[in-house]
Amino acid sequence: MKSMKSMQQQPRNHLPLDLPLDLPVDLDEAVHRCLVAGFDGTTGVPDTLKRLIERGLGGVILFTRNVRDAGQVRRLTDELRALRPDLLVAIDNEGGGIGHLVAAGAPEVPGSYALGVVDDPDLTARCADALAGHLSSLGITVSYAPVADLQYHPDNPIVRTRSFGSDPELAARHLRAWITATEARGVASCAKHFPGHGGTVTDSHHEMAVDLRSYDEIRADVEPFRAAVAAGVPMLMSAHVVYPALDPERPATLSRRILGDLLRHDLGFDGVLVSDALEMKAIADRYGEAAGARLALAAGADQVIVAVPDLATTLACRDAVIDALRDGMLAEERVREAAGRVRKLAERYAGAVGEGAVAPWDAGAGLDAARRAVRGGAAGFGDGVGAVSAGRGAYVVDLFPPPHPALNWGGEDLLSEVRALDPTAAGMVLNEAPVDPAALAEGILWWAVGVPLVVATSDAGLYPWQEELRDALVAGRGDAVVVETGLTDGGVGARSGAGALCSYGRGRVNLRALAEVLVGGV
């Protein structure tokens, strides 16, 4: 390894963050290849981002803040690639309401859990094809999807309906379908979050998550990723989760044991490994974003995501990597290896963006899947919907947790979908705990006198205020129809004399499919 210690040292705290540094040009470009940056704005490219791109920035990640409409997004991606044709343009695009392209006319598809419930890989492929076709039309070349995590722990707060389910074989066949369909559109898919986030009770966006299971128990979570690798997935994303059975000291994103021994050697993955966003508190609070970037690359990551729009954070991460090279704390060969993988990925996907029309996709696939995923019946959740229906003129109470700050919410709710089919319906939407649940329940029961009552919750087992309000309403109205838009909690059917329904997701098409059943005769 060529030592970087011999290079002239400069007092970096007195220099502008984007000042050119005394690295060999090709190594400076390699450092930049290892970065994915978020930014603000829907038109024009910020000057700081332009300089990063000119020096070799590997990719950018788009969010709702960068999206106004489809034409604007395509103009923005064209402008970005005019600066550097091999720039990767990425976005989170899982379906089921987890995406940032609502304003750009994104195809409506349910989340992965609903697709797993239907268990028709051809239908999953149709949904993935619709999402990828839309991305291609916008000039977006990387989709940070699908989720390969198994939904293992009942109290997991972040994976849930984003997963295809808890069965490794079921997840594997749907991952293969999704990856193959996305690849056929010339878009890079990315299975996440290796080696699995479904066994935690903590959301790594908020704090460090720990999976305390044994190695033998965790092996099942690894199998969907093994299937994704076998299917040719070009990218994997690491989890900010500590697995003491695998590495007691560091989260997967920063662990050579997990990224090297398990992923590279055991699974044989030679594609691009990208970190989850470094500003997530699991990394930022314990290590800091800049140190996280250095440690992740040293552990075996090829790219690190800095999703926050403040480009000073991206620059700080870049500078930490350069400092580590200069000090000999990070091997030059490791950075060049990572950059080489990113360059190969860019040659394959970034160069595939063309000016021609994109072949149409199946716009009805998502609603078809959501309809087939609805489960219910007079005896509780089961196979098929049965005869559950509220009828017209219902009073609908839709309860769900506050939208996750990192997962886009398009404003959809069940009441709006019911009213679109039945304007005589009324009700309320609540996404925070009421001050006085008993008084609210009493008021709802009064408002719903003489009309059908629908009570919808979302992952009620994780939010006691939802359970409390739901149970009070069902106690007062034994004929209420209970609906769950997340995962069932095991006792919902028994609490409702009229039966129960579950959509296994809160995407717009999930809610529309529920509304069709509730209104009846649609």
Side-chain angles (χ1 to χ4, degrees):
M1 181 187 77
K2 179 181 178 181
S3 174
M4 307 305 299
K5 291 183 178 181
S6 61
M7 295 186 176
Q8 181 181 358
Q9 298 291 321
Q10 300 185 38
R12 301 180 56 79
N13 56 331
H14 298 299
L15 295 174
L17 282 172
D18 59 344
L19 186 73
L21 300 168
D22 52 351
L23 290 183
V25 173
D26 61 338
L27 183 56
D28 183 75
E29 178 183 328
V31 170
H32 286 79
R33 288 268 185 185
C34 297
L35 301 172
V36 177
F39 64 99
D40 255 333
T42 58
T43 59
V45 179
D47 288 341
T48 300
L49 183 60
K50 285 182 180 179
R51 291 194 291 272
L52 285 168
I53 293 171
E54 289 164 358
R55 287 175 65 170
L57 183 71
V60 295
I61 180 170
L62 303 182
F63 285 89
T64 306
R65 61 179 179 251
N66 305 116
V67 176
R68 189 176 65 239
D69 56 55
Q72 165 268 321
V73 173
R74 183 61 200 237
R75 289 190 295 273
L76 180 61
T77 61
D78 285 346
E79 184 177 358
L80 288 163
R81 259 186 298 273
L83 295 168
R84 192 176 186 99
D86 61 354
L87 179 72
L88 293 164
V89 181
I91 199 164
D92 285 311
N93 201 47
E94 300 173 18
I98 309 301
H100 301 274
L101 294 169
V102 173
E108 296 179 358
V109 305
S112 294
Y113 205 98
L115 296 174
V117 168
V118 178
D119 197 14
D120 180 348
D122 290 338
L123 183 56
T124 294
R126 287 166 55 199
C127 290
D129 174 72
L131 292 175
H134 183 244
L135 292 185
S136 182
S137 74
L138 299 177
I140 297 172
T141 47
V142 175
S143 172
Y144 291 138
V147 170
D149 305 321
L150 296 179
Q151 172 49 37
Y152 171 79
H153 201 292
D155 293 332
N156 181 282
I158 187 60
V159 174
R160 307 193 70 77
T161 59
R162 298 168 66 195
S163 165
F164 286 110
S166 60
D167 179 358
E169 293 184 2
L170 179 145
R173 57 180 171 266
H174 289 275
L175 286 164
R176 285 191 291 267
W178 186 294
I179 292 163
T180 301
T182 305
E183 172 71 20
R185 287 284 185 174
V187 174
S189 56
C190 178
K192 59 187 184 184
H193 308 81
F194 184 81
H197 204 327
T200 73
V201 294
T202 304
D203 178 356
S204 56
H205 290 88
H206 302 314
E207 58 183 302
M208 185 63 74
V210 179
D211 188 332
L212 295 173
R213 292 177 296 163
S214 69
Y215 174 74
D216 287 340
E217 291 174 306
I218 294 171
R219 286 175 62 184
D221 293 63
V222 174
E223 291 311 302
F225 292 94
R226 192 185 303 277
V229 172
V233 70
M235 302 183 76
L236 291 180
M237 181 182 290
S238 62
H240 297 334
V241 176
V242 175
Y243 306 84
L246 304 177
D247 185 336
E249 298 180 356
R250 288 187 172 175
T253 296
L254 311 182
S255 170
R256 291 181 183 177
R257 294 183 186 180
I258 295 174
L259 303 188
D261 296 344
L262 181 57
L263 179 59
R264 296 297 188 191
H265 296 296
D266 185 7
L267 269 64
F269 180 63
D270 194 37
V272 169
L273 174 65
V274 62
S275 77
D276 210 341
L278 293 179
E279 69 272 11
M280 292 167 61
K281 292 186 181 298
I283 298 297
D285 283 1
R286 181 169 298 191
Y287 301 94
E289 294 94 327
R294 171 179 60 82
L295 292 169
L297 291 175
D302 301 308
Q303 282 191 314
V304 292
I305 296 175
V306 186
V308 290
D310 180 7
L311 288 166
T313 305
T314 302
L315 291 168
C317 291
R318 186 274 311 272
D319 291 348
V321 174
I322 290 176
D323 278 344
L325 284 168
R326 290 162 53 100
D327 295 340
M329 296 176 62
L330 179 60
E332 179 179 331
E333 287 86 350
R334 172 77 273 275
V335 174
R336 291 190 184 279
E337 175 191 48
R341 289 195 181 109
V342 175
R343 189 177 296 111
K344 183 178 179 181
L345 185 80
E347 290 171 354
R348 179 177 173 185
Y349 294 97
V353 178
E355 299 295 330
V358 175
W361 53 85
D362 185 351
L367 184 55
D368 183 15
R371 286 168 173 161
R372 291 173 60 184
V374 176
R375 295 290 188 270
F381 299 124
D383 295 330
V385 171
V388 177
S389 176
R392 295 182 175 266
Y395 193 93
V396 178
V397 180
D398 188 15
L399 311 176
F400 56 97
H404 196 290
L407 308 177
N408 184 55
W409 177 53
E412 58 273 0
D413 63 77
L414 181 59
L415 176 59
S416 296
E417 295 300 327
V418 170
R419 285 182 56 81
L421 301 176
D422 174 20
T424 67
M428 65 174 296
V429 174
L430 187 64
N431 64 4
E432 60 182 0
V435 175
D436 189 339
L440 179 58
E442 184 178 353
I444 291 172
L445 291 171
W446 184 82
W447 295 324
V449 169
V451 300
L453 176 62
V454 175
V455 184
T457 57
S458 181
D459 290 327
L462 299 183
Y463 303 95
W465 67 269
Q466 291 189 47
E467 287 190 312
E468 181 180 357
L469 186 53
R470 178 194 65 196
D471 293 350
L473 292 173
V474 172
R477 281 286 300 268
D479 62 341
V481 175
V482 175
V483 174
E484 174 56 54
T485 60
L487 297 184
T488 59
D489 64 10
V492 176
R495 295 189 179 103
S496 174
L501 293 170
C502 187
S503 61
Y504 299 99
R506 284 195 63 87
R508 193 177 300 276
V509 285
N510 296 108
L511 300 179
R512 188 174 306 159
L514 275 176
E516 291 175 353
V517 175
L518 290 168
V519 173
V522 177

